[in-house]
Amino acid sequence: MRVTKMHGLGNDYVYVLPREERDWPEVARRVSDRHFGIGSDGLILALPSAVADMRMRMFNADGSEAEMCGNGIRCVVKFALEEGLVDAAKDVVTVETLAGTKTLQLFRENGVIATARVDMGPPSFDPASLPATVEGPGPVIDLPVTVDGMDLKLTLVSVGNPHAIHYIDHDPDSFPLERIGPLVENHALFPRRVNFQVVQVLDRGHVKHRVWERGSGITLASGTSATAVAAASRLRGFTGDRIVDSLPGGDLTLEWDGAGSVFMTGPATRVFDAEWLEA
């Protein structure tokens, strides 16, 4: 099977233009293994669509299928144009996802797609949209949750997939994400599990955060997480309409004026192409 490795700020996936149907959850688990496979945060398929320029399917490293991937969608559009699935001359591309149809504006350097601005759609602060077993329509701010002796205060946001955000007043690098992340992901509050973010607000235009991704664990970046953080931070009055979000893999730019869609801008990098030889 021909595969391509790509990443957005180190959030890396294996990309495939499927020629036949396969057990994609099992393929995702095998290619994602960083010792016995290719090594990635998951698998992303570029497919034709009847309602958009193309369709994206995204599988986490554990084989579970996710609704959306902000870093992945930038890369899959670059991949689709370069592979001929979508007209290579396009500057605006629509993508069908399980979280709805997303629109991307592409930016080129020396004729090569380098970055993209994604309309991530409007955020939802209704806990039912995650879903989360919390009463009331939302927004849910500073929801008290205790895991492994640590008291958290969660802000809940859906951007097509579910996010639980905990704000701290110190560097997220020192937070025990490898211990707390899986406990929040699998907490009884979240029947479909949840992505967990730890965020430090540096100033009104700059935040720093780390993420535990549902189904993949700690990743270097997450576009949907950054989108959720931007929306939650502005809702709470911590930041303004435009922020830079510094993740371990690099910076994303987010824009949200408090209504309508959140817009995310970041890079898309093609690393290598190969033939994957299945055992």
Side-chain angles (χ1 to χ4, degrees):
M1 184 173 68
R2 186 170 183 269
V3 298
T4 296
K5 179 74 173 286
M6 304 183 74
H7 76 86
L9 299 181
N11 191 195
D12 59 338
Y13 291 90
V14 173
Y15 292 79
V16 174
L17 195 63
R19 304 298 183 188
E20 60 187 8
E21 189 54 43
R22 293 174 181 256
D23 181 352
W24 295 116
E26 177 60 20
V27 172
R29 286 189 287 270
R30 294 176 65 188
V31 300
S32 299
D33 191 292
R34 296 190 184 275
H35 298 286
F36 297 101
I38 296 169
S40 67
D41 292 325
L43 172 73
I44 293 181
L45 308 181
L47 299 158
S49 170
V51 298
D53 292 316
M54 62 169 293
R55 179 164 69 103
M56 176 179 83
R57 291 187 71 189
M58 180 262 181
F59 297 87
N60 295 309
D62 68 354
S64 58
E65 187 166 5
E67 299 87 348
M68 240 293 281
C69 176
N71 289 314
I73 200 171
R74 298 195 309 272
C75 291
V76 78
V77 167
K78 174 181 170 73
F79 175 67
L81 268 71
E82 293 174 349
E83 292 297 309
L85 178 64
V86 177
D87 182 355
K90 278 183 169 287
D91 292 322
V92 177
V93 175
T94 55
V95 183
E96 178 188 357
T97 78
L98 291 179
T101 298
K102 308 298 181 185
T103 302
L104 289 80
Q105 182 179 4
L106 308 177
F107 302 97
R108 293 172 172 83
E109 295 179 5
N110 299 318
V112 177
I113 297 168
T115 60
R117 183 175 186 259
V118 187
D119 180 343
M120 297 291 287
S124 171
F125 300 99
D126 183 350
S129 66
L130 276 83
T133 55
V134 179
E135 293 184 3
V140 176
I141 293 172
D142 288 338
L143 176 68
V145 173
T146 300
V147 294
D148 197 21
M150 179 174 286
D151 295 329
L152 306 174
K153 293 184 177 180
L154 302 180
T155 299
L156 305 185
V157 188
S158 172
V159 292
N161 58 1
H163 298 269
I165 301 165
H166 177 57
Y167 289 92
I168 58 177
D169 59 5
H170 56 278
D171 194 327
D173 290 346
S174 64
F175 186 88
L177 188 59
E178 65 287 344
R179 176 169 61 91
I180 301 301
L183 299 177
V184 177
E185 176 191 356
N186 294 286
H187 196 281
L189 281 170
F190 308 110
R192 296 182 188 170
R193 300 185 292 168
V194 76
N195 300 282
F196 176 57
Q197 293 79 34
V198 183
V199 182
Q200 179 189 23
V201 178
L202 301 175
D203 58 49
R204 288 189 59 78
H206 193 186
V207 303
K208 181 177 181 179
H209 104 258
R210 294 174 67 208
V211 56
W212 178 276
E213 280 206 75
R214 177 185 59 167
S216 293
I218 294 175
T219 58
L220 293 180
S222 169
T224 58
S225 291
T227 300
V229 166
S233 299
R234 191 195 183 285
L235 175 78
R236 300 193 57 164
F238 297 155
T239 59
D241 292 355
R242 185 180 187 276
I243 65 167
V244 172
D245 187 349
S246 293
L247 297 115
D251 293 348
L252 290 171
T253 300
L254 291 305
E255 303 161 82
W256 190 51
D257 63 5
S261 294
V262 180
F263 291 88
M264 174 194 63
T265 302
T269 304
R270 189 166 184 154
V271 182
F272 65 77
D273 304 290
E275 292 292 325
W276 184 53
L277 304 177
E278 297 182 273

PDB file of all heavy atoms in Angstrom, residues 90-126:
ATOM      1  N   LYS A  90      -6.537  24.829  -7.367  1.00  0.00           N
ATOM      2  CA  LYS A  90      -7.483  25.425  -6.422  1.00  0.00           C
ATOM      3  C   LYS A  90      -6.769  26.135  -5.276  1.00  0.00           C
ATOM      4  O   LYS A  90      -5.757  25.657  -4.758  1.00  0.00           O
ATOM      5  CB  LYS A  90      -8.411  24.351  -5.845  1.00  0.00           C
ATOM      6  CG  LYS A  90      -9.599  23.990  -6.730  1.00  0.00           C
ATOM      7  CD  LYS A  90     -10.473  22.986  -6.034  1.00  0.00           C
ATOM      8  CE  LYS A  90     -11.797  22.799  -6.769  1.00  0.00           C
ATOM      9  NZ  LYS A  90     -12.691  23.965  -6.594  1.00  0.00           N
ATOM     10  N   ASP A  91      -7.325  27.272  -4.878  1.00  0.00           N
ATOM     11  CA  ASP A  91      -6.845  27.993  -3.700  1.00  0.00           C
ATOM     12  C   ASP A  91      -7.803  27.856  -2.524  1.00  0.00           C
ATOM     13  O   ASP A  91      -7.430  28.135  -1.381  1.00  0.00           O
ATOM     14  CB  ASP A  91      -6.659  29.482  -4.007  1.00  0.00           C
ATOM     15  CG  ASP A  91      -5.527  29.725  -4.984  1.00  0.00           C
ATOM     16  OD1 ASP A  91      -4.505  29.019  -4.892  1.00  0.00           O
ATOM     17  OD2 ASP A  91      -5.668  30.621  -5.847  1.00  0.00           O
ATOM     18  N   VAL A  92      -9.046  27.450  -2.803  1.00  0.00           N
ATOM     19  CA  VAL A  92     -10.053  27.222  -1.768  1.00  0.00           C
ATOM     20  C   VAL A  92     -10.618  25.823  -1.982  1.00  0.00           C
ATOM     21  O   VAL A  92     -11.035  25.477  -3.092  1.00  0.00           O
ATOM     22  CB  VAL A  92     -11.180  28.271  -1.811  1.00  0.00           C
ATOM     23  CG1 VAL A  92     -12.248  27.957  -0.770  1.00  0.00           C
ATOM     24  CG2 VAL A  92     -10.615  29.668  -1.581  1.00  0.00           C
ATOM     25  N   VAL A  93     -10.609  25.015  -0.926  1.00  0.00           N
ATOM     26  CA  VAL A  93     -11.032  23.616  -1.023  1.00  0.00           C
ATOM     27  C   VAL A  93     -12.032  23.322   0.095  1.00  0.00           C
ATOM     28  O   VAL A  93     -11.830  23.742   1.241  1.00  0.00           O
ATOM     29  CB  VAL A  93      -9.820  22.666  -0.914  1.00  0.00           C
ATOM     30  CG1 VAL A  93     -10.265  21.211  -0.902  1.00  0.00           C
ATOM     31  CG2 VAL A  93      -8.851  22.914  -2.068  1.00  0.00           C
ATOM     32  N   THR A  94     -13.089  22.579  -0.237  1.00  0.00           N
ATOM     33  CA  THR A  94     -14.053  22.136   0.772  1.00  0.00           C
ATOM     34  C   THR A  94     -13.831  20.660   1.063  1.00  0.00           C
ATOM     35  O   THR A  94     -13.531  19.872   0.160  1.00  0.00           O
ATOM     36  CB  THR A  94     -15.495  22.367   0.311  1.00  0.00           C
ATOM     37  OG1 THR A  94     -15.710  21.720  -0.953  1.00  0.00           O
ATOM     38  CG2 THR A  94     -15.780  23.860   0.172  1.00  0.00           C
ATOM     39  N   VAL A  95     -13.987  20.292   2.348  1.00  0.00           N
ATOM     40  CA  VAL A  95     -13.695  18.933   2.786  1.00  0.00           C
ATOM     41  C   VAL A  95     -14.866  18.418   3.617  1.00  0.00           C
ATOM     42  O   VAL A  95     -15.253  19.043   4.619  1.00  0.00           O
ATOM     43  CB  VAL A  95     -12.406  18.872   3.626  1.00  0.00           C
ATOM     44  CG1 VAL A  95     -12.088  17.428   4.017  1.00  0.00           C
ATOM     45  CG2 VAL A  95     -11.236  19.502   2.873  1.00  0.00           C
ATOM     46  N   GLU A  96     -15.401  17.283   3.224  1.00  0.00           N
ATOM     47  CA  GLU A  96     -16.448  16.618   3.997  1.00  0.00           C
ATOM     48  C   GLU A  96     -15.805  15.854   5.154  1.00  0.00           C
ATOM     49  O   GLU A  96     -14.876  15.068   4.949  1.00  0.00           O
ATOM     50  CB  GLU A  96     -17.216  15.645   3.094  1.00  0.00           C
ATOM     51  CG  GLU A  96     -18.310  14.866   3.802  1.00  0.00           C
ATOM     52  CD  GLU A  96     -18.909  13.782   2.922  1.00  0.00           C
ATOM     53  OE1 GLU A  96     -18.524  13.672   1.737  1.00  0.00           O
ATOM     54  OE2 GLU A  96     -19.753  13.013   3.441  1.00  0.00           O
ATOM     55  N   THR A  97     -16.290  16.087   6.378  1.00  0.00           N
ATOM     56  CA  THR A  97     -15.807  15.381   7.554  1.00  0.00           C
ATOM     57  C   THR A  97     -17.002  14.935   8.385  1.00  0.00           C
ATOM     58  O   THR A  97     -18.137  15.357   8.143  1.00  0.00           O
ATOM     59  CB  THR A  97     -14.893  16.265   8.429  1.00  0.00           C
ATOM     60  OG1 THR A  97     -15.705  17.172   9.192  1.00  0.00           O
ATOM     61  CG2 THR A  97     -13.905  17.069   7.596  1.00  0.00           C
ATOM     62  N   LEU A  98     -16.757  14.135   9.396  1.00  0.00           N
ATOM     63  CA  LEU A  98     -17.831  13.735  10.296  1.00  0.00           C
ATOM     64  C   LEU A  98     -18.309  14.901  11.154  1.00  0.00           C
ATOM     65  O   LEU A  98     -19.353  14.802  11.811  1.00  0.00           O
ATOM     66  CB  LEU A  98     -17.366  12.584  11.197  1.00  0.00           C
ATOM     67  CG  LEU A  98     -17.135  11.241  10.507  1.00  0.00           C
ATOM     68  CD1 LEU A  98     -16.656  10.198  11.513  1.00  0.00           C
ATOM     69  CD2 LEU A  98     -18.404  10.750   9.803  1.00  0.00           C
ATOM     70  N   ALA A  99     -17.557  16.003  11.167  1.00  0.00           N
ATOM     71  CA  ALA A  99     -17.956  17.208  11.885  1.00  0.00           C
ATOM     72  C   ALA A  99     -18.525  18.258  10.943  1.00  0.00           C
ATOM     73  O   ALA A  99     -18.606  19.437  11.293  1.00  0.00           O
ATOM     74  CB  ALA A  99     -16.761  17.780  12.652  1.00  0.00           C
ATOM     75  N   GLY A 100     -18.927  17.840   9.740  1.00  0.00           N
ATOM     76  CA  GLY A 100     -19.475  18.776   8.770  1.00  0.00           C
ATOM     77  C   GLY A 100     -18.459  19.128   7.695  1.00  0.00           C
ATOM     78  O   GLY A 100     -17.314  18.670   7.705  1.00  0.00           O
ATOM     79  N   THR A 101     -18.870  19.952   6.751  1.00  0.00           N
ATOM     80  CA  THR A 101     -18.004  20.366   5.653  1.00  0.00           C
ATOM     81  C   THR A 101     -17.173  21.577   6.075  1.00  0.00           C
ATOM     82  O   THR A 101     -17.719  22.575   6.563  1.00  0.00           O
ATOM     83  CB  THR A 101     -18.825  20.700   4.405  1.00  0.00           C
ATOM     84  OG1 THR A 101     -19.524  19.523   3.975  1.00  0.00           O
ATOM     85  CG2 THR A 101     -17.933  21.187   3.278  1.00  0.00           C
ATOM     86  N   LYS A 102     -15.859  21.470   5.907  1.00  0.00           N
ATOM     87  CA  LYS A 102     -14.928  22.529   6.280  1.00  0.00           C
ATOM     88  C   LYS A 102     -14.327  23.155   5.026  1.00  0.00           C
ATOM     89  O   LYS A 102     -14.114  22.470   4.016  1.00  0.00           O
ATOM     90  CB  LYS A 102     -13.800  21.992   7.163  1.00  0.00           C
ATOM     91  CG  LYS A 102     -14.280  21.201   8.379  1.00  0.00           C
ATOM     92  CD  LYS A 102     -15.118  22.041   9.319  1.00  0.00           C
ATOM     93  CE  LYS A 102     -15.563  21.240  10.536  1.00  0.00           C
ATOM     94  NZ  LYS A 102     -16.475  22.008  11.413  1.00  0.00           N
ATOM     95  N   THR A 103     -14.040  24.453   5.084  1.00  0.00           N
ATOM     96  CA  THR A 103     -13.459  25.182   3.960  1.00  0.00           C
ATOM     97  C   THR A 103     -12.060  25.652   4.319  1.00  0.00           C
ATOM     98  O   THR A 103     -11.844  26.214   5.395  1.00  0.00           O
ATOM     99  CB  THR A 103     -14.334  26.390   3.588  1.00  0.00           C
ATOM    100  OG1 THR A 103     -15.657  25.938   3.261  1.00  0.00           O
ATOM    101  CG2 THR A 103     -13.753  27.139   2.399  1.00  0.00           C
ATOM    102  N   LEU A 104     -11.113  25.427   3.402  1.00  0.00           N
ATOM    103  CA  LEU A 104      -9.719  25.812   3.621  1.00  0.00           C
ATOM    104  C   LEU A 104      -9.263  26.766   2.529  1.00  0.00           C
ATOM    105  O   LEU A 104      -9.540  26.553   1.339  1.00  0.00           O
ATOM    106  CB  LEU A 104      -8.794  24.593   3.611  1.00  0.00           C
ATOM    107  CG  LEU A 104      -8.870  23.630   4.795  1.00  0.00           C
ATOM    108  CD1 LEU A 104     -10.051  22.679   4.656  1.00  0.00           C
ATOM    109  CD2 LEU A 104      -7.569  22.857   4.935  1.00  0.00           C
ATOM    110  N   GLN A 105      -8.536  27.798   2.947  1.00  0.00           N
ATOM    111  CA  GLN A 105      -7.840  28.686   2.019  1.00  0.00           C
ATOM    112  C   GLN A 105      -6.365  28.321   2.047  1.00  0.00           C
ATOM    113  O   GLN A 105      -5.758  28.240   3.121  1.00  0.00           O
ATOM    114  CB  GLN A 105      -8.039  30.151   2.414  1.00  0.00           C
ATOM    115  CG  GLN A 105      -7.379  31.132   1.456  1.00  0.00           C
ATOM    116  CD  GLN A 105      -7.611  32.582   1.856  1.00  0.00           C
ATOM    117  OE1 GLN A 105      -8.204  32.851   2.906  1.00  0.00           O
ATOM    118  NE2 GLN A 105      -7.155  33.513   1.040  1.00  0.00           N
ATOM    119  N   LEU A 106      -5.786  28.088   0.863  1.00  0.00           N
ATOM    120  CA  LEU A 106      -4.423  27.587   0.762  1.00  0.00           C
ATOM    121  C   LEU A 106      -3.445  28.708   0.416  1.00  0.00           C
ATOM    122  O   LEU A 106      -3.758  29.602  -0.371  1.00  0.00           O
ATOM    123  CB  LEU A 106      -4.344  26.500  -0.306  1.00  0.00           C
ATOM    124  CG  LEU A 106      -5.364  25.360  -0.174  1.00  0.00           C
ATOM    125  CD1 LEU A 106      -5.224  24.391  -1.332  1.00  0.00           C
ATOM    126  CD2 LEU A 106      -5.201  24.639   1.155  1.00  0.00           C
ATOM    127  N   PHE A 107      -2.244  28.621   0.985  1.00  0.00           N
ATOM    128  CA  PHE A 107      -1.193  29.595   0.716  1.00  0.00           C
ATOM    129  C   PHE A 107       0.057  28.846   0.258  1.00  0.00           C
ATOM    130  O   PHE A 107       0.469  27.864   0.897  1.00  0.00           O
ATOM    131  CB  PHE A 107      -0.889  30.426   1.961  1.00  0.00           C
ATOM    132  CG  PHE A 107      -2.094  31.152   2.497  1.00  0.00           C
ATOM    133  CD1 PHE A 107      -2.837  30.616   3.549  1.00  0.00           C
ATOM    134  CD2 PHE A 107      -2.515  32.347   1.936  1.00  0.00           C
ATOM    135  CE1 PHE A 107      -3.951  31.271   4.033  1.00  0.00           C
ATOM    136  CE2 PHE A 107      -3.636  33.008   2.412  1.00  0.00           C
ATOM    137  CZ  PHE A 107      -4.356  32.469   3.470  1.00  0.00           C
ATOM    138  N   ARG A 108       0.643  29.307  -0.847  1.00  0.00           N
ATOM    139  CA  ARG A 108       1.786  28.630  -1.451  1.00  0.00           C
ATOM    140  C   ARG A 108       3.066  29.436  -1.310  1.00  0.00           C
ATOM    141  O   ARG A 108       3.033  30.669  -1.285  1.00  0.00           O
ATOM    142  CB  ARG A 108       1.509  28.345  -2.932  1.00  0.00           C
ATOM    143  CG  ARG A 108       0.401  27.328  -3.173  1.00  0.00           C
ATOM    144  CD  ARG A 108       0.033  27.234  -4.641  1.00  0.00           C
ATOM    145  NE  ARG A 108      -0.881  26.135  -4.925  1.00  0.00           N
ATOM    146  CZ  ARG A 108      -2.186  26.178  -4.771  1.00  0.00           C
ATOM    147  NH1 ARG A 108      -2.762  27.290  -4.321  1.00  0.00           N
ATOM    148  NH2 ARG A 108      -2.941  25.135  -5.063  1.00  0.00           N
ATOM    149  N   GLU A 109       4.171  28.706  -1.239  1.00  0.00           N
ATOM    150  CA  GLU A 109       5.502  29.301  -1.280  1.00  0.00           C
ATOM    151  C   GLU A 109       6.287  28.598  -2.368  1.00  0.00           C
ATOM    152  O   GLU A 109       6.434  27.377  -2.334  1.00  0.00           O
ATOM    153  CB  GLU A 109       6.211  29.147   0.068  1.00  0.00           C
ATOM    154  CG  GLU A 109       5.537  29.912   1.209  1.00  0.00           C
ATOM    155  CD  GLU A 109       6.243  29.715   2.540  1.00  0.00           C
ATOM    156  OE1 GLU A 109       7.310  29.064   2.561  1.00  0.00           O
ATOM    157  OE2 GLU A 109       5.712  30.193   3.561  1.00  0.00           O
ATOM    158  N   ASN A 110       6.733  29.370  -3.359  1.00  0.00           N
ATOM    159  CA  ASN A 110       7.437  28.798  -4.518  1.00  0.00           C
ATOM    160  C   ASN A 110       6.613  27.713  -5.195  1.00  0.00           C
ATOM    161  O   ASN A 110       7.139  26.679  -5.631  1.00  0.00           O
ATOM    162  CB  ASN A 110       8.801  28.239  -4.098  1.00  0.00           C
ATOM    163  CG  ASN A 110       9.713  29.306  -3.509  1.00  0.00           C
ATOM    164  OD1 ASN A 110       9.787  30.425  -4.014  1.00  0.00           O
ATOM    165  ND2 ASN A 110      10.415  28.958  -2.434  1.00  0.00           N
ATOM    166  N   GLY A 111       5.306  27.952  -5.255  1.00  0.00           N
ATOM    167  CA  GLY A 111       4.403  27.041  -5.934  1.00  0.00           C
ATOM    168  C   GLY A 111       3.968  25.838  -5.133  1.00  0.00           C
ATOM    169  O   GLY A 111       3.184  25.020  -5.630  1.00  0.00           O
ATOM    170  N   VAL A 112       4.447  25.692  -3.894  1.00  0.00           N
ATOM    171  CA  VAL A 112       4.128  24.548  -3.057  1.00  0.00           C
ATOM    172  C   VAL A 112       3.246  24.986  -1.894  1.00  0.00           C
ATOM    173  O   VAL A 112       3.516  26.016  -1.249  1.00  0.00           O
ATOM    174  CB  VAL A 112       5.413  23.888  -2.517  1.00  0.00           C
ATOM    175  CG1 VAL A 112       5.069  22.732  -1.588  1.00  0.00           C
ATOM    176  CG2 VAL A 112       6.284  23.413  -3.663  1.00  0.00           C
ATOM    177  N   ILE A 113       2.174  24.237  -1.618  1.00  0.00           N
ATOM    178  CA  ILE A 113       1.296  24.562  -0.488  1.00  0.00           C
ATOM    179  C   ILE A 113       2.096  24.464   0.810  1.00  0.00           C
ATOM    180  O   ILE A 113       2.669  23.418   1.126  1.00  0.00           O
ATOM    181  CB  ILE A 113       0.094  23.613  -0.441  1.00  0.00           C
ATOM    182  CG1 ILE A 113      -0.767  23.780  -1.691  1.00  0.00           C
ATOM    183  CG2 ILE A 113      -0.751  23.868   0.822  1.00  0.00           C
ATOM    184  CD1 ILE A 113      -1.807  22.689  -1.868  1.00  0.00           C
ATOM    185  N   ALA A 114       2.138  25.568   1.553  1.00  0.00           N
ATOM    186  CA  ALA A 114       2.919  25.614   2.792  1.00  0.00           C
ATOM    187  C   ALA A 114       2.033  25.748   4.024  1.00  0.00           C
ATOM    188  O   ALA A 114       2.306  25.146   5.060  1.00  0.00           O
ATOM    189  CB  ALA A 114       3.920  26.767   2.745  1.00  0.00           C
ATOM    190  N   THR A 115       0.983  26.562   3.927  1.00  0.00           N
ATOM    191  CA  THR A 115       0.086  26.782   5.052  1.00  0.00           C
ATOM    192  C   THR A 115      -1.351  26.827   4.560  1.00  0.00           C
ATOM    193  O   THR A 115      -1.624  26.952   3.361  1.00  0.00           O
ATOM    194  CB  THR A 115       0.405  28.107   5.792  1.00  0.00           C
ATOM    195  OG1 THR A 115       0.271  29.198   4.864  1.00  0.00           O
ATOM    196  CG2 THR A 115       1.812  28.101   6.361  1.00  0.00           C
ATOM    197  N   ALA A 116      -2.282  26.735   5.499  1.00  0.00           N
ATOM    198  CA  ALA A 116      -3.697  26.813   5.168  1.00  0.00           C
ATOM    199  C   ALA A 116      -4.455  27.469   6.313  1.00  0.00           C
ATOM    200  O   ALA A 116      -4.079  27.325   7.483  1.00  0.00           O
ATOM    201  CB  ALA A 116      -4.270  25.432   4.887  1.00  0.00           C
ATOM    202  N   ARG A 117      -5.494  28.195   5.947  1.00  0.00           N
ATOM    203  CA  ARG A 117      -6.406  28.808   6.918  1.00  0.00           C
ATOM    204  C   ARG A 117      -7.714  28.037   6.848  1.00  0.00           C
ATOM    205  O   ARG A 117      -8.343  27.945   5.790  1.00  0.00           O
ATOM    206  CB  ARG A 117      -6.629  30.281   6.606  1.00  0.00           C
ATOM    207  CG  ARG A 117      -7.506  31.036   7.615  1.00  0.00           C
ATOM    208  CD  ARG A 117      -7.528  32.514   7.252  1.00  0.00           C
ATOM    209  NE  ARG A 117      -8.218  33.329   8.244  1.00  0.00           N
ATOM    210  CZ  ARG A 117      -9.466  33.789   8.113  1.00  0.00           C
ATOM    211  NH1 ARG A 117     -10.182  33.471   7.026  1.00  0.00           N
ATOM    212  NH2 ARG A 117     -10.011  34.530   9.053  1.00  0.00           N
ATOM    213  N   VAL A 118      -8.118  27.476   7.983  1.00  0.00           N
ATOM    214  CA  VAL A 118      -9.263  26.569   8.024  1.00  0.00           C
ATOM    215  C   VAL A 118     -10.428  27.224   8.753  1.00  0.00           C
ATOM    216  O   VAL A 118     -10.272  27.742   9.862  1.00  0.00           O
ATOM    217  CB  VAL A 118      -8.901  25.264   8.760  1.00  0.00           C
ATOM    218  CG1 VAL A 118     -10.037  24.256   8.635  1.00  0.00           C
ATOM    219  CG2 VAL A 118      -7.596  24.677   8.243  1.00  0.00           C
ATOM    220  N   ASP A 119     -11.591  27.188   8.107  1.00  0.00           N
ATOM    221  CA  ASP A 119     -12.834  27.554   8.786  1.00  0.00           C
ATOM    222  C   ASP A 119     -13.260  26.348   9.606  1.00  0.00           C
ATOM    223  O   ASP A 119     -13.771  25.360   9.081  1.00  0.00           O
ATOM    224  CB  ASP A 119     -13.897  27.914   7.748  1.00  0.00           C
ATOM    225  CG  ASP A 119     -15.226  28.315   8.371  1.00  0.00           C
ATOM    226  OD1 ASP A 119     -15.458  28.020   9.565  1.00  0.00           O
ATOM    227  OD2 ASP A 119     -16.064  28.902   7.662  1.00  0.00           O
ATOM    228  N   MET A 120     -13.023  26.421  10.914  1.00  0.00           N
ATOM    229  CA  MET A 120     -13.272  25.283  11.796  1.00  0.00           C
ATOM    230  C   MET A 120     -14.720  25.187  12.237  1.00  0.00           C
ATOM    231  O   MET A 120     -15.090  24.256  12.960  1.00  0.00           O
ATOM    232  CB  MET A 120     -12.360  25.367  13.019  1.00  0.00           C
ATOM    233  CG  MET A 120     -10.875  25.279  12.685  1.00  0.00           C
ATOM    234  SD  MET A 120     -10.388  23.631  12.111  1.00  0.00           S
ATOM    235  CE  MET A 120     -10.463  22.694  13.632  1.00  0.00           C
ATOM    236  N   GLY A 121     -15.550  26.139  11.816  1.00  0.00           N
ATOM    237  CA  GLY A 121     -16.941  26.130  12.221  1.00  0.00           C
ATOM    238  C   GLY A 121     -17.129  26.765  13.587  1.00  0.00           C
ATOM    239  O   GLY A 121     -16.162  27.075  14.293  1.00  0.00           O
ATOM    240  N   PRO A 122     -18.372  26.971  14.003  1.00  0.00           N
ATOM    241  CA  PRO A 122     -18.637  27.602  15.298  1.00  0.00           C
ATOM    242  C   PRO A 122     -18.450  26.622  16.454  1.00  0.00           C
ATOM    243  O   PRO A 122     -18.809  25.447  16.338  1.00  0.00           O
ATOM    244  CB  PRO A 122     -20.096  28.044  15.193  1.00  0.00           C
ATOM    245  CG  PRO A 122     -20.688  27.104  14.193  1.00  0.00           C
ATOM    246  CD  PRO A 122     -19.598  26.750  13.221  1.00  0.00           C
ATOM    247  N   PRO A 123     -17.908  27.088  17.566  1.00  0.00           N
ATOM    248  CA  PRO A 123     -17.801  26.223  18.746  1.00  0.00           C
ATOM    249  C   PRO A 123     -19.150  26.090  19.434  1.00  0.00           C
ATOM    250  O   PRO A 123     -20.024  26.940  19.306  1.00  0.00           O
ATOM    251  CB  PRO A 123     -16.811  26.980  19.629  1.00  0.00           C
ATOM    252  CG  PRO A 123     -17.033  28.417  19.273  1.00  0.00           C
ATOM    253  CD  PRO A 123     -17.362  28.435  17.805  1.00  0.00           C
ATOM    254  N   SER A 124     -19.308  25.003  20.176  1.00  0.00           N
ATOM    255  CA  SER A 124     -20.507  24.809  20.978  1.00  0.00           C
ATOM    256  C   SER A 124     -20.104  24.644  22.439  1.00  0.00           C
ATOM    257  O   SER A 124     -19.179  23.894  22.755  1.00  0.00           O
ATOM    258  CB  SER A 124     -21.278  23.571  20.521  1.00  0.00           C
ATOM    259  OG  SER A 124     -22.333  23.277  21.424  1.00  0.00           O
ATOM    260  N   PHE A 125     -20.821  25.344  23.304  1.00  0.00           N
ATOM    261  CA  PHE A 125     -20.566  25.245  24.740  1.00  0.00           C
ATOM    262  C   PHE A 125     -21.676  24.483  25.459  1.00  0.00           C
ATOM    263  O   PHE A 125     -21.732  24.467  26.683  1.00  0.00           O
ATOM    264  CB  PHE A 125     -20.404  26.650  25.332  1.00  0.00           C
ATOM    265  CG  PHE A 125     -19.272  27.414  24.708  1.00  0.00           C
ATOM    266  CD1 PHE A 125     -19.510  28.349  23.705  1.00  0.00           C
ATOM    267  CD2 PHE A 125     -17.964  27.182  25.094  1.00  0.00           C
ATOM    268  CE1 PHE A 125     -18.462  29.037  23.114  1.00  0.00           C
ATOM    269  CE2 PHE A 125     -16.909  27.872  24.516  1.00  0.00           C
ATOM    270  CZ  PHE A 125     -17.159  28.800  23.520  1.00  0.00           C
ATOM    271  N   ASP A 126     -22.535  23.837  24.680  1.00  0.00           N
ATOM    272  CA  ASP A 126     -23.601  23.008  25.230  1.00  0.00           C
ATOM    273  C   ASP A 126     -23.004  21.644  25.573  1.00  0.00           C
ATOM    274  O   ASP A 126     -22.494  20.951  24.681  1.00  0.00           O
ATOM    275  CB  ASP A 126     -24.722  22.858  24.207  1.00  0.00           C
ATOM    276  CG  ASP A 126     -25.905  22.051  24.734  1.00  0.00           C
ATOM    277  OD1 ASP A 126     -25.788  21.449  25.829  1.00  0.00           O
ATOM    278  OD2 ASP A 126     -26.932  22.011  24.040  1.00  0.00           O
TER     279      ASP A 126
END
